[in-house]
Amino acid sequence: MKSKIMFIGILVLLTILLFQNKVRAHCDTMDGPVVKAAKLALEKSDVTPVLKWIKKEYEDEVRSAFKKTLQVRTKGQEAQELAEKYFFETLVRLHRASEGEPYTGLKPSGTPIEPPVAAADNALKTGDVKELSNLLSVIIEEGIAIRFKHVLEAKKDADKSVDAGREFVEAYVEFVHYAERLHQAAESNAHHNESLDKHDVH
């Protein structure tokens, strides 16, 4: 089971690394888990459910925003909507800061998310990672195959002219760097799992 978890972890890490400029996490959307936790916290008048989504250094700010929201949301429908939006935005902003990522605003409900993110969430709901692992395997295999085909084709004409040679080198560099990024991500995840193993409770 541990090797299966490690394999999935590697696939997820590789996909995030390789598609980090394209993939939008959904933690900054109204449909995301952060806002869902915020709604639960407001419903229960208990800030505890949201604290796990931010680093300890931001806890006081979240608690303060939560207290203000509870006070203001009792002053009518419009006040409630504004107060809740303020709290959602504050929490998501600090969650993004906890991840070391910039805050670009709270995205509306229905904002599209990338298939790997949706599949990861679905895996947690169902307790089955097969769909996620298959999806990520296909993405990575396709990435390798596309770059490999390109560099092979460019290699055929690499010595016919300087321009052709440069095209080959560009394709070669992208292919090799892609493989290098895969390897680095896999090594990084392996080291992370070694650290987790040291803290396992048997």
Side-chain angles (χ1 to χ4, degrees), residues 14-83:
L14 294 181
T15 302
I16 291 173
L17 178 67
L18 296 171
F19 298 94
Q20 58 185 344
N21 294 325
K22 297 180 181 179
V23 173
R24 178 198 297 280
H26 62 330
C27 289
D28 60 353
T29 73
M30 286 295 294
D31 298 325
V34 178
V35 171
K36 287 181 180 178
K39 290 180 178 179
L40 177 62
L42 290 171
E43 180 183 328
K44 294 184 174 182
S45 296
D46 179 8
V47 73
T48 306
V50 304
L51 297 180
K52 62 179 173 288
W53 292 101
I54 51 100
K55 286 187 175 180
K56 188 174 180 60
E57 63 195 86
Y58 302 123
E59 187 171 323
D60 288 344
E61 186 175 350
V62 168
R63 286 183 181 276
S64 176
F66 185 73
K67 184 177 180 180
K68 292 176 182 176
T69 300
L70 288 181
Q71 293 171 344
V72 174
R73 71 196 295 261
T74 62
K75 303 183 183 300
Q77 183 65 31
E78 185 176 352
Q80 178 179 339
E81 292 176 359
L82 290 173

Side-chain angles (χ1 to χ4, degrees), residues 85-147:
K85 184 178 180 182
Y86 158 74
F87 181 59
F88 297 158
E89 290 178 339
T90 299
L91 181 61
V92 169
R93 173 174 58 81
L94 295 176
H95 168 67
R96 296 290 287 169
S98 297
E99 292 181 315
E101 298 293 336
Y103 174 64
T104 58
L106 183 60
K107 310 303 184 300
S109 180
T111 299
I113 60 173
E114 294 292 327
V117 177
D121 269 352
N122 190 55
L124 290 173
K125 290 178 182 178
T126 62
D128 185 356
V129 296
K130 186 176 181 180
E131 177 191 356
L132 174 61
S133 61
N134 288 342
L135 173 64
L136 298 183
S137 295
V138 169
I139 291 173
I140 292 172
E141 288 176 6
E142 286 182 351
I144 293 173
I146 289 171
R147 288 163 177 79

Side-chain angles (χ1 to χ4, degrees), residues 152-166:
L152 275 184
E153 290 178 350
K155 183 180 179 181
K156 296 175 183 177
D157 299 325
D159 297 325
K160 293 184 177 180
S161 69
V162 173
D163 286 342
R166 286 172 178 161

